[in-house]
Amino acid sequence: MSRAARALLLALLLPSVPVWGQGVPSGPVAHAFLFGDVMYVAGGEAPEGFKLGQTVIHGNVLLSNRVAFFGEASLTGRDTGYAIEIERAIIRYDVNDGFKISAGRYHTPISYWNTAFHHGLWLQGSVARPEAIKFGSRFIPVHFVGAMAEGRIASSPLTYAAGIGNGRAANTARAGDVGDVNESRAFFATAALQPDALPGFRVGGGVYFDDVETEAGGGADERITSGHAVWERGSLDLVGEYIQVRHQAGGSSSPVTSRAVYLHAGVKLPGELRAFMPYARWERMDIGKEDALFTGSVADYEAVLAGLRYDFSPYAALKIEYRDEQLDGASGVGRLFVQASYAAPITSG
């Protein structure tokens, strides 16, 4: 996507408030984007053919000079029809740049990709997210329901976020939307450095703690740690992330550790070819043996992929990607993806 398109998109998508002194708006000011995609898949054991992706709407409503609401909803095709999901719903109060408090349903900040690229596949360079943090993943809690404080430490390149909320249930893909399943709340904290001397560079990490109910009954202590390094500058797009999930079942003295890592690189071609971005990614998940939550539901995974993104319009892109995947150490399976995605701006106020 062009720099102008990306700048406008960020301005509309980020829940923000006007500069103090500009006064309270005469009424709510709303901005929204509609996202969608259609994809053709060939190869592998999954059904081949065309697939209509998620239709997603992002909405940002400025309620006053310090209060904003951000919502995101999706419509996803299933074999039996279409499913509607509230992906994010956040009300936020900005005290200042150093302290912002919010509550609602988030994309859990424990993973960089999980908060940098939300629903709407036009937003990201590749056809899909890394396997460990795909929507519906059981590896990490992709969604989080609770409250969060965040901000930037004054006169420094350091940003932080910390939150408390409902942990995930035995179905670890769900976020505890209607209450916590036990008396133990989940907690996370993250921090990142973005030095002014290195525009586009970011390094950071986070921790997440919870007591999770297992499908076999009983509980397991869950501790997730992550770290990432990102360099998005001009034509270059480099992202690397490592996530470790440790579970210790009640009565067990030995914790079990599972790990995921990915390295993603993309570069826009120069000159008249600047609408094209070749990219590649390697990713891997290693699931610990006899994990109290993952055994039977999360498998070892490794993939190498290469693709090309073509932005044939400021708000529309075509991606062609070939992916070679291995599941639980089996022989590799190759699949070809062709995806067209778009972002349609809707504004009012």
Side-chain angles (χ1 to χ4, degrees), residues 16-325:
S16 57
V17 298
V19 178
W20 297 353
Q22 288 184 342
V24 179
S26 58
V29 178
H31 301 290
F33 257 82
L34 183 69
F35 295 88
D37 66 271
V38 61
M39 183 161 58
Y40 180 80
V41 183
E45 297 181 0
E48 295 188 346
F50 289 93
K51 177 182 178 181
L52 185 64
Q54 280 189 331
T55 299
V56 183
I57 186 167
H58 293 190
N60 180 19
V61 184
L62 184 64
L63 301 175
S64 75
N65 67 330
R66 294 194 186 187
V67 181
F69 171 79
F70 186 85
E72 180 183 38
S74 67
L75 182 68
T76 306
R78 308 291 189 196
D79 291 339
T80 56
Y82 285 85
I84 299 175
E85 183 87 4
I86 301 298
E87 305 293 353
R88 288 182 291 160
I90 304 163
I91 183 73
R92 194 179 80 180
Y93 180 81
D94 289 21
V95 178
N96 52 45
D97 286 342
F99 185 72
K100 305 171 184 180
I101 186 75
S102 61
R105 191 177 202 253
Y106 308 83
H107 286 147
T108 315
I110 191 60
S111 161
Y112 167 79
W113 197 292
N114 198 40
T115 52
F117 305 106
H118 300 289
H119 294 265
L121 295 178
W122 176 85
L123 292 167
Q124 62 184 35
S126 55
V127 163
R129 286 177 153 216
E131 182 73 10
I133 52 178
K134 69 181 182 181
F135 292 116
S137 170
R138 289 174 175 260
F139 188 76
I140 68 166
V142 175
H143 291 94
F144 181 85
V145 178
M148 180 171 69
E150 61 187 311
R152 177 180 293 273
I153 304 300
S155 303
S156 81
L158 178 64
T159 60
Y160 73 91
I164 186 170
N166 299 336
R168 48 183 179 169
N171 176 1
T172 54
R174 297 302 302 175
D177 297 89
V178 295
D180 207 335
V181 296
N182 55 31
E183 307 225 346
S184 174
R185 302 292 175 265
F187 169 81
F188 73 84
T190 67
L193 284 171
Q194 297 173 273
D196 293 336
L198 294 173
F201 179 76
R202 170 190 168 112
V203 60
V207 293
Y208 176 98
F209 301 98
D210 191 21
D211 183 10
V212 185
E213 296 291 325
T214 67
E215 291 184 348
D221 290 332
E222 180 172 66
R223 186 186 72 187
I224 304 175
T225 55
S226 68
H228 66 266
V230 179
W231 195 9
E232 293 180 325
R233 183 176 182 181
S235 61
L236 192 61
D237 184 10
L238 299 176
V239 182
E241 185 164 22
Y242 173 81
I243 305 172
Q244 178 179 284
V245 182
R246 192 192 74 165
H247 291 134
Q248 185 168 12
S252 172
S253 59
S254 301
V256 178
T257 300
S258 301
R259 301 173 177 85
V261 62
Y262 68 83
L263 298 172
H264 181 97
V267 58
K268 290 184 180 180
L269 299 181
E272 295 182 356
L273 298 177
R274 60 185 176 275
F276 293 90
M277 184 183 72
Y279 63 89
R281 186 166 74 228
W282 169 78
E283 55 183 287
R284 182 182 177 119
M285 283 199 308
D286 292 312
I287 305 303
K289 294 182 179 179
E290 299 181 0
D291 187 286
L293 267 76
F294 292 163
T295 298
S297 62
V298 184
D300 291 344
Y301 178 86
E302 187 169 9
V304 177
L305 63 88
L308 178 68
R309 174 179 175 135
Y310 170 43
D311 286 279
F312 58 90
S313 151
Y315 295 105
L318 179 68
K319 305 171 196 175
I320 302 175
E321 179 179 301
Y322 181 80
R323 190 183 310 165
D324 185 81
E325 301 171 296

